[in-house]
Amino acid sequence: MKALVYLGPAKRAVEQRQKPEITSPTDAIVRVTKTTICGTDLHILKGDVPSCQPGRILGHEGVDVIEKAGSGVTAFKPGDRVLISCISSCGKWVYCRKLMYSHCTTGGWILGNTIDGTQAEFVRIPYADTSLYHIPDGADEEALVMLSDILPTGFECGVLNGKVQPGTTVAIVGSGPIGLAALLTAQFYSPSDIIMIDLDDNRLEMAKRFGATAVINSTDGKTLETVLKMTANRGVDTAIEAVGIPATFELCEGIVAPGGTIANIGVHGTKVDLHLEHLWDRNITITTRLVDTVSTPLLLNSVRSRKIDPKLLITHRFKFEHILDAYETFASAAKTHALKVIIEA
């Protein structure tokens, strides 16, 4: 089969690989019909994720068809159309019992990280019964690809961790795909204001169309002053960091109001300064999280009932034979205006 393989920092290639086989009774082998590229894949290519070693097939998102199911798989059978969770969960041990599936001691974020992932024609899914979801009849599969990772990540790590509530003020730093996913799902809770902050006018224009009440281009370096002016010098109740660089996290430290929450989503590959000299007396909560995908059933229902349309995030489509072009397009978003790309078998 063909697969996109990580070869070391800044190196990737399409290679021929052996089709995966079942290695445990709880495994399923699925034929990938649609997948996508995540910002985390770009972090891997930068060398920010040392757990992912050269030779690994990348990818942790997709919709698929069950090709083969292990003897211990009871919820799925060959031919079933399924949504892959980016998090693999055994569903049994201590962290899974706490609904912290990302910390499953034998699972978690392993696809495209410590085991081969979904940017291939076939992929082995461990713990299939608790790591796959049936696709409802008539569902738009392209939209559902966004539920593998990006929608639950924005929702759980940003909105839920950020304690977004009716009437509160929210700032989302970063209007890339994850920030926009947080914007879409924050609207479940009717905050009074959602301020989107980014360097890219195109993404900010998209944010307005997705429901942002205000946007700020941070190019001029005056974002802190602008946010404080917009909030009567108070700051925001929830500051969501959706980029993963020191400057954006430090901006969140500056714009959060007393009693507020900084919810980190971004993947950080370098150290960030925590300015306790400014925050020690402000009753600030700082949250960190890797998505657990506990919200996936809720989001599936929200998409099915048309309460949310994650297909809005898709800007480009490629066949698998052009996956290297898809990477170039996704990595050059400022030039290509890419948000999420769909890669189809």
Side-chain angles (χ1 to χ4, degrees):
M1 69 172 187
K2 293 179 181 177
L4 190 284
V5 180
Y6 170 60
L7 301 176
K11 297 178 183 178
R12 59 183 182 262
V14 175
E15 296 184 354
Q16 286 288 340
R17 288 293 186 91
Q18 290 290 324
K19 182 178 172 182
E21 296 291 339
I22 287 173
T23 61
S24 170
T26 55
D27 289 349
I29 305 300
V30 301
R31 174 172 52 83
V32 180
T33 58
K34 292 181 176 68
T35 185
T36 186
I37 302 168
C38 181
T40 310
D41 297 322
L42 300 186
H43 277 283
I44 289 172
L45 287 168
K46 291 177 184 176
D48 289 344
V49 186
S51 55
C52 185
Q53 294 294 303
R56 180 67 59 224
I57 297 172
L58 295 183
H60 50 268
E61 303 162 87
V63 294
D64 315 84
V65 177
I66 300 282
E67 179 91 356
K68 187 186 301 184
S71 60
V73 176
T74 60
F76 301 94
K77 65 183 185 304
D80 284 350
R81 295 161 56 242
V82 293
L83 167 69
I84 290 178
S85 171
C86 64
I87 299 296
S88 302
S89 163
C90 75
K92 295 179 179 180
W93 302 114
V94 57
Y95 292 119
C96 291
R97 294 294 182 95
K98 292 181 178 181
L99 302 184
M100 294 171 59
Y101 301 140
S102 62
H103 293 277
C104 176
T105 53
T106 52
W109 174 40
I110 54 176
L111 286 173
N113 179 12
T114 59
I115 68 171
D116 286 337
T118 60
Q119 290 171 14
E121 295 179 90
F122 296 88
V123 60
R124 179 179 69 89
I125 304 298
Y127 306 122
D129 279 344
T130 45
S131 304
L132 296 173
Y133 296 88
H134 287 282
I135 292 179
D137 290 339
D140 187 322
E141 292 190 359
E142 282 195 349
L144 294 190
V145 175
M146 303 299 104
L147 270 65
S148 282
D149 181 353
I150 186 173
L151 257 292
T153 296
F155 185 48
E156 295 174 16
C157 304
V159 177
L160 296 183
N161 265 16
K163 304 181 180 69
V164 176
Q165 297 177 26
T168 57
T169 301
V170 179
I172 301 173
V173 183
S175 293
I178 286 290
L180 292 172
L183 167 63
L184 288 172
T185 54
Q187 293 170 73
F188 289 158
Y189 295 95
S190 301
S192 60
D193 298 284
I194 307 177
I195 304 165
M196 297 296 292
I197 300 167
D198 202 274
L199 298 166
D200 187 319
D201 282 330
N202 176 69
R203 288 187 168 186
L204 292 173
E205 189 60 38
M206 295 284 284
K208 281 195 240 181
R209 296 207 297 270
F210 288 8
T213 58
V215 298
I216 299 172
N217 187 309
S218 55
T219 305
D220 63 7
K222 297 180 180 179
T223 304
L224 174 59
E225 294 88 341
T226 303
V227 172
L228 292 178
K229 184 177 180 180
M230 294 171 67
T231 57
N233 211 41
R234 179 176 170 270
V236 297
D237 299 301
T238 301
I240 296 174
E241 199 288 328
V243 181
I245 61 174
T248 50
F249 188 86
E250 291 186 37
L251 176 60
C252 288
E253 294 180 57
I255 64 177
V256 68
T261 300
I262 299 172
N264 184 80
I265 305 178
V267 178
H268 290 272
T270 58
K271 77 177 187 68
V272 177
D273 291 330
L274 177 61
H275 291 286
L276 284 176
E277 72 275 19
H278 301 307
L279 299 177
W280 70 271
D281 63 346
R282 292 168 60 86
N283 291 52
I284 301 299
T285 299
I286 299 175
T287 65
T288 65
R289 183 173 183 172
L290 182 62
V291 64
D292 293 300
T293 65
V294 293
S295 65
T296 301
L298 178 156
L299 293 170
L300 273 167
N301 286 334
S302 297
V303 172
R304 181 183 53 79
S305 62
R306 302 183 188 278
K307 299 296 184 186
I308 190 171
D309 183 10
K311 197 169 180 177
L312 293 169
L313 296 163
I314 301 168
T315 56
H316 294 75
R317 293 165 176 83
F318 297 86
K319 290 293 186 181
F320 186 84
E321 56 262 35
H322 300 299
I323 191 170
L324 293 176
D325 294 332
Y327 262 90
E328 290 298 328
T329 298
F330 186 65
S332 305
K335 179 175 67 176
T336 63
H337 297 166
L339 290 175
K340 291 294 283 185
V341 302
I342 289 290
I343 299 161
E344 188 171 5

